[in-house]
Amino acid sequence: MSPERWQKVEGLYHAALEKDAKQRIAFLAEQADGDEELLREVESLIAKGSGTGSLDLLAWNGAASLTETASGEQLPAGTKLGPYLIEGLLGAGGMGQVYKARDTRLDRPVAIKVSNQRFSNRFEREARSIAALNHPHICTLYDVGPNYLVMELVEGESLESRQGKGRLALEVVLRYGAQIAGALASAHARGIVHRDLKPGNIMVTKSGIKVLDFGLAKQIASDDGLTATHAIIGTPAYMAPEQMEGKPSDIRTDIFALGLVLYEMAAGKRLPIGQNKNLGLEGLPPQFAHVVRRCLDDDPDNRWQSARDLKAELEWTANPDDRWQTASDLKRELPGNPAPAGVRAKNAPTWMWPAMAGLTCIAAIASAGYFSKAPNRETVVRSAILPPDKGAFNLEGKNGPAAVSPDGNSIAFVATVEGRSSLWVRSLHDSQSRELPKTEGGYFPFWSPDSLNIGFFENGSLRRIQVAGGSLETICAVQDARGGSWGANGDIIFANSRRSAIYRVSASGGDPIQVTRLQELVTSHRWPSFLPDGKHFLYHSSPTGAAHILNEIRFASLDGKEDRPVMKGKWSSNATFAAGRLVYFKMGSLFAQPFDAVGGKLSGEAVRLADSVNFLAWFSAASFSVSEKTLVFEAGGGWSGGELTWFDASGKEIGQLRSGEQYSAFRISPDEKKVLAIAYSAQGTPELWTIDVERGGRTPAVSRVQDSPLAWSPDSKSFLYTGEVQGSMGVFKKSVYGTDVPQRVLTGSKVLGFADWSPDGHTVAFAEFNSRSNNYHIWLAPASGEGNARILLNTPFTDARARFSSDGKWLTFDSDDTGGWEVYAVALQGATRRWQISSGGGTFPVWSFDGRTIYYETLDAAVAETPVLVRGEELVIGKSRRLFQPPFKLSPNRAFDVGADGRFLVAVSPKAAFRSLTLVANWASELSKK
């Protein structure tokens, strides 16, 4: 900044300080005379340089405050503040300087804000409470010193700088806005209010938004040692009316500021002070304008009452699939209540089909006549379907997706009510669901073509039942079914087991006949779906699991004369034909594409129907069903894992490791200081991260990996992962510090994975696929990568997911030798006997640290334990017991892990707290509009 420019800034700054808050705003606007940069500089000085503003955490590379000439002696490079080594100056402000530094204990870069005055004890205590904030869109406060704050070093540019390049696309505005709102919601839940939210305090990074200065304005304002008791805190251009008047601020003050930020991003200019009633958002969607107007209401009671609701509204505006979160918000949108013109879009009409709502409050309103109008057939209606009263949907595990009837008027699903699981039916003309009698334990329901009967699997049988009431009939015996379909000619096709071809049987009963044959390196055919002629069908061909072998949707005929691929793709699943389209799942989303049901060929462009559709990875099934006019699906994004959450042995949630992020495979390090975890990038690529258990920070480890179980070295300094290089699968070893090139430990000729590392560091256990037997087998190999591997168990069954005991003398694994999955253990030396650990089915075994317990997942997704006692070469097996039934989905590649203190780390589905189904009536009507 030139001396002349600084003199002008300083003069206006001092003149503004002589005005009271209300006069100051108008005075600055008049004196700046359209010079936005001058106005911004003076406002920044008022917020910082007067000693009444927030500490400005300029924690990013290359940042420099416009008050570079502020007082304060600089610290030279090499200076140490406690364990922090100063590397250079990033910027300076009226209250101190910001430095790039290194934490010598953890060897990580940090940003340090050094204050020109010593903090009081009260400020230090309150700042430490802010350090407890753990959210992906909040700049983490790591530590507090006598006069300095240690923060996460964020690389990127400020939103203020980004906006200087022009207005942002609405898609970007909505994404950034939702991330900021999410950060606010996380802090507000802990009683922390920002009070100085503005573009200069918001960073744009490669991973999204980072909000800086979180809560410090409020904490500083409450510290008598730092500010005047009734000082006005914040930047004038982003203050709410009550804030300008010196009145108490709350979370709605932050919401007002966010409204200003949203406007500025979308309009490409700052909203003049006091002009919040004249926004000028012409040309932008009315839903977005409604969001901003409500943020900027002068009366806090008329604004959004929580950042969580605001985040949901921004996400709905970007993708209007969500329901109202509160009764008050719903009431606001009902007929008879004023709302801005155009707020109700095609996906949120002024009426709703009462049977679709499922909510008690909506049903009550419907009986009063609010929803007497029938839906237009051409109008797309989205709504939520809730589970039966006092019950929950069973959409995970061996239950499967809900099924829509061919006429589109009913839904069949599995639900648990008061501990009993059975089949239920919900007619869309009724307000309540109805249980089908004698269907306890039923799963994977599907409809007859006339929508009068339901086929399902239960207790080793394929069965059918009349929806209107009638006797239960057994059609034929099955093993471990993977879906069925009822054709127009009276045939039923089904996958007999998880590793079988497709079979055909008459709906009236008889002996099944095989109609498809497994190809080489294909595990199974599953999820058949008849086409309209009753002679052709689609099915999903499931591969062995290698990254380079793709799933297939295939087109086949009952006579066996046709069987060819329709499409290939990673993370694809079941597919269905409806409304002239092939509806299919791919990489977390649902698509519809024109399809010739006679010739079996795709054409035209695919249209995205929904994002974040839940994926049942264990069964290669997406949670959706569709008819000509009705689509139903479960949202969740479970295909890529869940949020890592701690639980005790009773199933009580203790806390999240990191919030707002989903992980698939994961593993706790032996020293319990880190967690190795796989997350999916926006492009659907598995990436490996290390997460600090104590502080919650994460560091990238490997950019491209195979989503497969992970392993740590005994000293917690290295790890094993499965990957693919030049078409060759392998297990690689890498340092946790990220300074080395990955070392190949094992090379797999076909499919390789499920590795574990012995406690003495000498041996790696892994499973490799054998194409001849179509099974996985467990092998042992030197961890050095030198020497030959030897097979541990050579059986005609699949043995996988090996895990060493804490003393390294035993190995536990799961196997399908009984036709279903069970957990076993075997001594590594001197014995060949296998000991069955689980009772009634189990998989994903984990040893306790003391070697006296083996934990595992049951087939219905509960966590169980079996006590064990080693006596020489014998293993004494105790009685198995269930510990807890999680109300969520477990990750397919690492169900859970256990710490030394007995805590369980579990990947929790984001929809665990409140699970419902999304129903879309007349879904095909919007295809031509996209």
Side-chain angles (χ1 to χ4, degrees):
M1 183 184 301
S2 67
E4 294 77 12
R5 180 67 170 181
W6 173 250
Q7 186 177 9
K8 186 174 183 179
V9 169
E10 187 177 23
L12 185 54
Y13 162 69
H14 288 295
L17 287 181
E18 297 177 359
K19 309 290 183 181
D20 62 35
K22 292 183 178 180
Q23 292 178 329
R24 184 182 301 158
I25 295 169
F27 173 78
L28 286 174
E30 179 182 354
Q31 295 298 316
D33 193 25
D35 190 337
E36 288 288 325
E37 186 63 29
L38 174 61
L39 187 61
R40 189 178 294 114
E41 289 167 355
V42 175
E43 288 172 347
S44 179
L45 276 177
I46 292 173
K48 304 172 191 174
S50 65
T52 62
S54 65
L55 289 176
D56 193 14
L57 309 186
L58 300 174
W60 60 86
N61 287 335
S65 169
L66 53 90
T67 55
E68 293 174 349
T69 58
S71 62
E73 184 178 350
Q74 294 185 12
L75 298 175
T79 302
K80 292 196 70 175
L81 295 178
Y84 306 106
L85 182 66
I86 300 296
E87 294 183 347
L89 182 69
L90 291 177
M95 295 190 68
Q97 303 86 34
V98 183
Y99 296 91
K100 180 180 180 182
R102 181 159 296 276
D103 185 338
T104 58
R105 298 167 303 180
L106 302 177
D107 192 31
R108 68 177 173 190
V110 297
I112 297 182
K113 170 67 178 184
V114 180
S115 175
N116 292 334
Q117 53 185 310
R118 188 179 182 87
F119 298 152
S120 70
N121 291 334
R122 181 178 178 183
F123 171 79
E124 185 173 343
R125 287 194 306 271
E126 292 175 332
R128 289 189 184 280
S129 71
I130 297 168
L133 289 176
N134 180 18
H135 190 277
H137 299 302
I138 295 177
C139 179
T140 305
L141 178 61
Y142 291 139
D143 199 1
V144 182
N147 71 324
Y148 61 84
L149 301 169
V150 183
M151 301 149 290
E152 173 186 4
L153 182 67
V154 182
E155 296 187 4
E157 64 176 337
S158 70
L159 182 59
E160 182 179 37
S161 174
R162 172 64 182 84
Q163 290 174 178
K165 301 174 183 178
R167 62 190 300 176
L168 278 62
L170 182 61
E171 177 186 358
V172 177
V173 174
L174 293 171
R175 183 168 72 250
Y176 287 175
Q179 292 174 0
I180 298 168
L184 290 173
S186 178
H188 292 169
R190 291 179 174 267
I192 297 172
V193 181
H194 196 294
R195 290 181 42 131
D196 194 21
L197 186 70
K198 57 186 177 183
N201 278 342
I202 301 170
M203 287 295 300
V204 180
T205 74
K206 292 181 179 180
S207 60
I209 287 296
K210 286 280 187 178
V211 181
L212 314 178
D213 273 14
F214 228 106
L216 291 176
K218 181 175 177 63
Q219 305 300 344
I220 295 170
S222 65
D223 194 326
D224 294 340
L226 289 181
T227 65
T229 304
H230 301 290
I232 297 176
I233 305 304
T235 303
Y238 299 94
M239 285 184 180
E242 66 273 15
Q243 201 174 7
M244 295 179 182
E245 296 173 4
K247 295 179 180 179
S249 301
D250 58 22
I251 62 175
R252 297 169 299 180
T253 304
D254 284 349
I255 289 173
F256 186 94
L258 179 51
L260 291 171
V261 172
L262 290 170
Y263 173 88
E264 193 167 332
M265 286 193 290
K269 60 183 179 180
R270 182 189 293 184
L271 183 68
I273 295 171
Q275 296 299 311
N276 51 304
K277 295 181 180 179
N278 184 24
L279 295 178
L281 287 173
E282 294 79 6
L284 292 171
Q287 299 97 321
F288 177 74
H290 172 58
V291 170
V292 176
R293 286 191 181 95
R294 190 170 168 188
C295 286
L296 298 180
D297 198 291
D298 286 340
D299 186 348
D301 290 339
N302 292 333
R303 297 176 201 154
W304 300 100
Q305 296 300 294
S306 75
R308 178 178 177 272
D309 287 349
L310 175 54
K311 177 177 181 290
E313 189 71 7
L314 289 166
E315 291 174 339
W316 182 88
T317 303
N319 181 20
D321 293 340
D322 296 334
R323 60 186 176 275
W324 299 111
Q325 300 293 310
T326 65
S328 62
D329 287 342
L330 174 62
K331 181 177 181 294
R332 189 186 301 274
E333 295 304 307
L334 290 174
N337 290 282
V343 168
R344 301 181 180 92
K346 62 180 180 182
N347 292 327
T350 57
W351 44 262
M352 288 184 74
W353 199 352
M356 293 180 184
L359 293 168
T360 303
C361 64
I362 296 181
I365 296 170
S367 65
Y370 278 109
F371 301 113
S372 59
K373 183 178 178 180
N376 185 300
R377 290 188 177 183
E378 298 304 318
T379 302
V380 178
V381 181
R382 298 177 184 268
S383 55
I385 298 292
L386 301 188
D389 187 34
K390 298 181 181 179
F393 287 126
N394 280 8
L395 305 175
E396 308 293 352
K398 202 172 180 179
N399 300 296
V404 175
S405 61
D407 62 12
N409 293 328
S410 299
I411 301 173
F413 54 85
V414 182
T416 297
V417 178
E418 297 181 344
R420 223 171 41 85
S421 177
S422 57
L423 293 182
W424 291 68
V425 172
R426 171 71 174 275
S427 169
L428 301 184
H429 299 295
D430 298 329
S431 60
Q432 299 294 327
S433 300
R434 177 172 56 89
E435 183 181 12
L436 295 179
K438 300 179 181 180
T439 60
E440 188 170 355
Y443 63 97
F444 295 157
F446 58 94
W447 290 83
S448 62
D450 58 10
S451 301
L452 299 178
N453 296 268
I454 292 177
F456 64 97
F457 304 94
E458 184 263 326
N459 195 27
S461 298
L462 170 58
R463 315 189 79 174
R464 59 181 287 181
I465 187 173
Q466 291 182 353
V467 177
S471 61
L472 194 64
E473 300 178 35
T474 298
I475 298 174
C476 67
V478 296
Q479 296 179 26
D480 187 19
R482 292 294 186 270
S485 180
W486 200 322
N489 296 328
D491 292 310
I492 289 177
I493 51 177
F494 64 96
N496 189 41
S497 73
R498 67 182 185 85
R499 307 180 66 186
S500 80
I502 303 298
Y503 284 77
R504 166 189 182 183
V505 67
S506 170
S508 59
D511 295 326
I513 301 172
Q514 184 174 334
V515 295
T516 65
R517 299 196 177 278
L518 297 177
Q519 298 87 9
E520 185 179 2
L521 291 179
V522 171
T523 300
S524 75
H525 294 162
R526 53 184 66 181
W527 310 118
S529 178
F530 263 117
L531 293 167
D533 65 4
K535 299 178 181 179
H536 292 86
F537 62 93
L538 302 165
Y539 70 91
H540 175 264
S541 179
S542 181
T544 58
H548 60 285
I549 300 177
L550 303 180
N551 300 307
E552 289 184 334
I553 300 299
R554 299 182 68 89
F555 172 84
S557 59
L558 291 178
D559 59 14
K561 294 181 179 180
E562 294 182 275
D563 192 342
R564 61 178 182 271
V566 173
M567 63 184 303
K568 299 181 179 181
K570 296 179 183 178
W571 289 106
S572 64
S573 69
N574 44 318
T576 303
F577 177 78
R581 304 307 204 275
L582 183 71
V583 181
Y584 60 92
F585 171 94
K586 187 175 182 180
M587 301 300 290
S589 298
L590 206 58
F591 295 87
Q593 187 171 350
F595 181 70
D596 178 2
V598 177
K601 294 182 180 180
L602 288 165
S603 62
E605 297 292 329
V607 174
R608 190 187 304 268
L609 296 179
D611 288 320
S612 298
V613 175
N614 199 22
F615 180 65
L616 312 177
W618 189 255
F619 299 96
S620 299
S623 191
F624 81 94
S625 180
V626 64
S627 69
E628 292 292 304
K629 67 178 183 179
T630 306
L631 166 68
V632 64
F633 65 89
E634 182 202 8
W639 71 283
S640 57
E643 296 179 322
L644 296 182
T645 307
W646 293 104
F647 291 83
D648 65 17
S650 68
K652 180 181 178 181
E653 183 175 335
I654 300 173
Q656 289 184 330
L657 183 62
R658 284 179 66 90
S659 62
E661 297 171 356
Q662 295 184 50
Y663 295 91
S664 182
F666 60 94
R667 185 77 178 267
I668 304 171
S669 64
D671 63 8
E672 298 195 280
K673 293 182 179 180
K674 293 182 175 62
V675 170
L676 196 64
I678 291 176
Y680 280 80
S681 68
Q683 292 73 38
T685 303
E687 299 176 335
L688 192 56
W689 297 79
T690 56
I691 304 173
D692 187 292
V693 171
E694 180 180 355
R695 300 181 182 274
R698 73 173 189 171
T699 305
V702 183
S703 59
R704 296 181 66 87
V705 298
Q706 173 77 8
D707 191 354
S708 182
L710 308 161
W712 284 94
S713 64
D715 60 7
S716 301
K717 294 181 179 179
S718 302
F719 56 84
L720 294 177
Y721 69 93
T722 305
E724 180 182 358
V725 177
Q726 296 179 348
S728 174
M729 293 294 297
V731 173
F732 295 86
K733 177 169 62 177
K734 195 175 188 304
S735 167
V736 72
Y737 302 109
T739 57
D740 61 329
V741 176
Q743 174 189 347
R744 185 186 290 269
V745 176
L746 301 167
T747 299
S749 57
K750 298 295 182 182
V751 182
L752 190 71
F754 308 111
D756 195 28
W757 204 332
S758 65
D760 62 9
H762 297 155
T763 307
V764 173
F766 65 97
E768 185 171 24
F769 187 79
N770 186 311
S771 60
R772 292 183 179 180
S773 63
N774 202 32
N775 289 310
Y776 280 94
H777 299 305
I778 295 175
W779 293 70
L780 300 176
S784 63
E786 301 176 358
N788 296 323
R790 65 181 178 89
I791 192 168
L792 175 68
L793 298 166
N794 190 0
T795 72
F797 314 107
T798 279
D799 301 322
R801 285 173 283 274
R803 190 81 176 249
F804 285 100
S805 62
S806 55
D807 62 6
K809 296 180 180 180
W810 291 78
L811 198 73
T812 188
F813 58 94
D814 53 29
S815 176
D816 66 348
D817 62 348
T818 64
W821 289 102
E822 297 286 358
V823 173
Y824 297 87
V826 64
L828 293 177
Q829 299 294 334
T832 57
R833 176 183 173 183
R834 59 168 60 190
W835 307 79
Q836 184 171 333
I837 304 301
S838 59
S839 176
T843 185
F844 294 109
V846 180
W847 286 85
S848 65
F849 272 61
D850 60 12
R852 297 180 179 179
T853 306
I854 297 175
Y855 303 99
Y856 60 92
E857 178 191 349
T858 65
L859 297 186
D860 61 347
V863 177
E865 68 172 6
T866 301
V868 295
L869 179 63
V870 177
R871 289 181 177 173
E873 295 181 352
E874 300 289 312
L875 196 63
V876 180
I877 311 298
K879 185 178 180 180
S880 300
R881 72 183 183 100
R882 295 163 69 95
L883 292 179
F884 58 95
Q885 177 82 48
F888 45 75
K889 184 171 97 68
L890 298 175
S891 168
N893 282 328
R894 171 50 57 209
F896 60 87
D897 207 357
V898 184
D901 58 359
R903 291 187 303 165
F904 292 83
L905 186 63
V906 184
V908 180
S909 168
K911 294 293 182 180
F914 186 79
R915 176 162 288 165
S916 65
L917 295 172
T918 299
L919 186 142
V920 187
N922 304 319
W923 64 274
S925 297
E926 64 183 357
L927 293 179
S928 60
K929 302 175 183 179
K930 291 188 175 182

